[in-house]
Every structure is written in structure tokens, then in C-alpha cells.
Amino acid sequence: MTQAHRTAAPADLILDWYDRHHRDLPWRVSPPMAARGVTPDPYRIWLSEVMLQQTTVQAVKSYFALFTTRWPTVIDLAKADNEDVMKSWAGLGYYARARNLKKCAEAVAFEHGGVFPDSEDGLKALPGIGDYTAAAIAAIAFNRQSAVLDGNVERVISRLHAIETPLPAAKPEMRALVSAMTPEHRPGDFAQAMMDLGATICTPRRPACALCPVNAHCRVLGREDPELFPRKAAKKEKPVRVGAAFIAEDHTGAVFLRKRIDSGLLGGMTEVPGSAWTARTDGETGLAAAPFPADWQACGTVTHVFTHFELRLSIYRSMVSGAVRAGEGWWQPKETLDGEALPTVMKKAIKQAIPDAFERVANRE
DNA sequence: AATGCGGGGAA
DNA sequence: TTCCCAGCATT
């Protein structure tokens, strides 16, 4: 018997491991259901994949439940109000995903007859769907033999083959290796198996190599520290920006809010008035940036870390007695503040000025 | 190829 | 603290 016959292919070993360690996730079809012929709903697969972009499974779960309850089909989501979608997405981050999610739902509902394209190319033509997501939906929802490459798979592949090329330059090489490895049968399960392997065994730090179904095939294990893979280019340090935020409260407890422009940082989300966020402290990043004259009281600072900079916001609050000329914006009643499309940094700023701002409804009775 | 874009959990 | 997560769009 040849070596090839005695040793199972890595893909089969990984699929066997997957079957023994199946994770029950809200967007997955359980093995018993799959055995009865139930196939994944492309809408739910798409929604979960978009939410999971650069986002952990734990963070996604409650949002996935909310969206699928409010909008059970892609048609429902396509007909939804833009602002309702942004409000429901608030807190999940990367808000361009929410804007593209809505555009994509409209495209599928109104230009594709409510049916998702079943090919990688067709999917990739839709807003918010790139290389990874197109391959993942094609494999998982339509059983296509596409090469699914995400951060987990990059780690698994880079270790299995001891790839020395640093990311992101190594991606084409990695995709070719994944493509060669992807089986004809169960390509969707294989893709999920590779991601589960990266998430639970082949982890960034202290991987559980002893439990790995393909440890015998790994070119790094036993030779070098697996934590050194994948190779990555050095990253630069985050600059600091400063600014001011103004929380105005009227006699009813309502807070003055505005809407940010649809593009760029926190695009389309709600905010409290504030200064620009700049690298240098100057007159425009303090009290001088107040939206209207009032008895502004300094009440500390809030720090928030974004992907590419750290923000230090000086917080000011005031009680406004009568009507003020406040420019663009509106007074949001305190009872409905929590339902607004407020990103986390804005909730932090409001809490700093009004500690119980988001607990008033719960504490009222 | 490089950059902008959130937020939170794990070690 | 640091890392990085089922990445995409734009330049």
C-alpha cells in the first residue's frame, strides 16, 4: 500500500473533525436537519457573513436574532426604512456594512427577483460582498467549490505550509493552496470546518496543536513557534486626536442630536454636536466649538479607540431653558434615546454627561 | 499596495 | 497593554 492510500487527505481529516465538533450557530443548519434535506437559507447566510466581517461570533449573535426577527426575508429588509436599519446596526461597528447591506437587499429584491445569485461572480457584483463573502456564500449556501479565505483560514494555511511571505502579499498563494485543498463533496462544510479549526484549535496564540486533526501534515509544528505564523508586516502606532462634544439637555430631559453625513467615519449615524477631531489641541477643539451659547459645564473626558486613531473627547453639558437656535438637529426625548443610531463613542459621551441617560426607562417604574 | 473604517473579547 | 476577529471600498 502506498503512503497516499494509508494516509487520509487533509481535507477529509478536517471534515471528520468538523463532524465530531459541530458548533451550533443560529445561521447554520444542524446535522440532523441537513440529513433531512434542509439546506441553508441564502438570506441568512449572507446576513451572517456580512455581520461576521471583522466581527466575532459572540458579538454578532444578538444582532442576527434582531435582524432576522424584524426582517425575515431579503424582501422585508429591502422594504425597510434606511434609518431603522442603521438604528438596529448601532453598536456593531463598520457602519458602511449596514449601508451596503440595505443596498444589497434592494438589488436582490428588485433586480434579481428576490433570489440571491448562486455564483461567486454574481455575488461579488453586489454591494458589500467581496472576495471572502462571495466565496463563503457560494460554498455554504449553494454548495459551490469555491476557495474560502478569511483570517482563520489564512492562519491555518500559513502554518500548514510554513508560508514565509508576509500578509497581505501572501493571499494569492494562500488562495491557490486552499483551492487545491477544497473537496468536491461538501465544499460548504469544508469552508466552515477550516474556519472553526482556526477559531478553536489553530488559534493566534497558544494553538492546541495536540488536538489538531492535521498536525501530522503541519510544516511549522515541531520546527518553529506556530505563533510566528502567518508572517505579517509591522504595523504603525495609532495617532491621538482630540475634540469636544456637547450634551445639551432641555427641561424635559431631551438631548440635542444631529445626523452625521452618510460617508466616512460613523457615516449616517447619529451624534451629539461637537468640534472636528484633530491631531492638535487648539481653540476649535474646546468650548469655542459649542453649537450655541449656553452655560456649558466641563465634565471630564471620554477616550475611545478607533481602528486608526485614539480619540480624546472633552465633554461639556448644559441645561437649556427655552428654545435655542441650534442649527441642524433635533431634541430627542429621553425615553427613546436608546433607540437612536448612536455609535458607541456617542453613547459614552452622553453617559459621561448624564450617567443614567440610557437607564431612565428601566428605572422609571 | 496602502489606507480608512468599530467595537469588544481574550490572553 | 496587545492582538485580532467568517473584510470591503476606495485611492
Side-chain angles (χ1 to χ4, degrees):
Chain A
M1 227 179 211
T2 65
Q3 181 76 15
H5 284 104
R6 284 193 293 104
T7 308
D12 291 327
L13 292 169
I14 291 170
L15 276 170
D16 287 345
W17 172 85
Y18 179 69
D19 289 336
R20 285 181 279 114
H21 299 269
H22 189 273
R23 285 203 291 171
D24 203 15
L25 299 174
W27 43 87
R28 279 189 182 167
V29 175
S30 66
M33 294 301 282
R36 282 195 246 165
V38 175
T39 56
D41 177 358
Y43 169 65
R44 293 167 64 90
I45 297 301
W46 161 73
L47 180 61
S48 69
E49 290 299 343
V50 173
M51 288 182 165
L52 286 161
Q53 289 164 6
Q54 292 292 287
T55 308
T56 56
V57 167
Q58 189 53 42
V60 163
K61 280 182 178 171
S62 64
Y63 286 86
F64 182 81
L66 173 65
F67 272 69
T68 52
T69 300
R70 274 192 90 166
W71 302 295
T73 71
V74 69
I75 307 289
D76 299 318
L77 185 56
K79 291 178 181 170
D81 183 66
N82 280 331
E83 199 56 30
D84 287 339
V85 176
M86 299 309 288
K87 288 175 181 174
S88 296
W89 196 276
L92 195 56
Y94 283 146
Y95 299 99
R97 290 187 296 173
R99 301 193 295 272
N100 285 329
L101 186 82
K102 184 62 164 55
K103 288 183 198 163
C104 183
E106 290 168 359
V108 170
F110 306 137
E111 296 168 26
H112 296 267
V115 180
F116 277 87
D118 65 356
S119 71
E120 240 181 295
D121 287 345
L123 288 161
K124 205 180 157 182
L126 293 166
I129 299 183
D131 287 336
Y132 162 75
T133 307
I137 298 173
I140 298 168
F142 299 112
N143 218 35
R144 296 271 192 169
Q145 198 178 357
S146 50
V148 176
L149 186 66
D150 76 328
N152 290 302
V153 180
E154 284 171 2
R155 193 165 50 252
V156 172
I157 287 292
S158 71
R159 290 173 180 171
L160 267 179
H161 297 275
I163 294 175
E164 292 294 341
T165 313
L167 285 170
K171 286 186 89 168
E173 181 183 353
M174 292 180 177
R175 186 169 288 106
L177 289 165
V178 172
S179 181
M181 196 174 172
T182 301
E184 291 179 35
H185 294 291
R186 307 176 63 192
D189 284 345
F190 176 73
Q192 295 178 87
M194 287 286 278
M195 293 189 278
D196 279 9
L197 191 61
T200 64
I201 302 287
C202 198
T203 49
R205 285 191 277 183
R206 299 197 53 174
C209 299
L211 302 178
C212 179
V214 286
N215 51 15
H217 297 264
C218 186
R219 302 288 294 171
V220 167
L221 180 59
R223 297 179 174 84
E224 216 176 335
D225 183 357
E227 292 189 6
L228 299 177
F229 290 82
R231 308 290 198 204
K232 289 189 177 179
K235 51 185 67 170
K236 6 180 196 180
E237 63 178 285
K238 286 182 183 180
V240 174
R241 293 188 199 172
V242 297
F246 300 89
I247 291 83
E249 203 178 348
D250 72 8
H251 65 284
T252 70
V255 174
F256 189 74
L257 300 177
R258 338 185 271 208
K259 184 177 184 299
R260 295 175 66 88
I261 60 172
D262 281 322
S263 61
L265 183 68
L266 307 177
M269 301 297 286
T270 301
E271 67 173 3
V272 294
S275 72
W277 300 340
T278 68
R280 181 178 305 190
T281 306
D282 56 33
E284 302 304 313
T285 58
L287 202 48
F292 47 79
D295 182 24
W296 295 106
Q297 305 284 333
C299 52
T301 64
V302 161
T303 296
H304 187 77
V305 181
F306 290 97
T307 307
H308 53 297
F309 67 93
E310 177 183 319
L311 176 65
R312 292 176 189 164
L313 271 184
S314 299
I315 308 299
Y316 297 90
R317 68 171 296 187
S318 74
M319 294 294 298
V320 176
S321 47
V324 294
R325 301 177 60 82
E328 293 294 315
W330 68 93
W331 290 94
Q332 186 68 36
K334 56 184 178 181
E335 294 83 3
T336 55
L337 203 52
D338 203 29
E340 280 303 292
L342 290 163
T344 297
V345 64
M346 294 301 160
K347 286 196 172 182
K348 280 189 196 174
I350 294 171
K351 277 187 190 173
Q352 176 75 23
I354 311 170
D356 66 343
F358 299 100
E359 298 160 17
R360 293 175 180 179
V361 177
N363 292 345
R364 200 172 36 177
E365 330 247 13

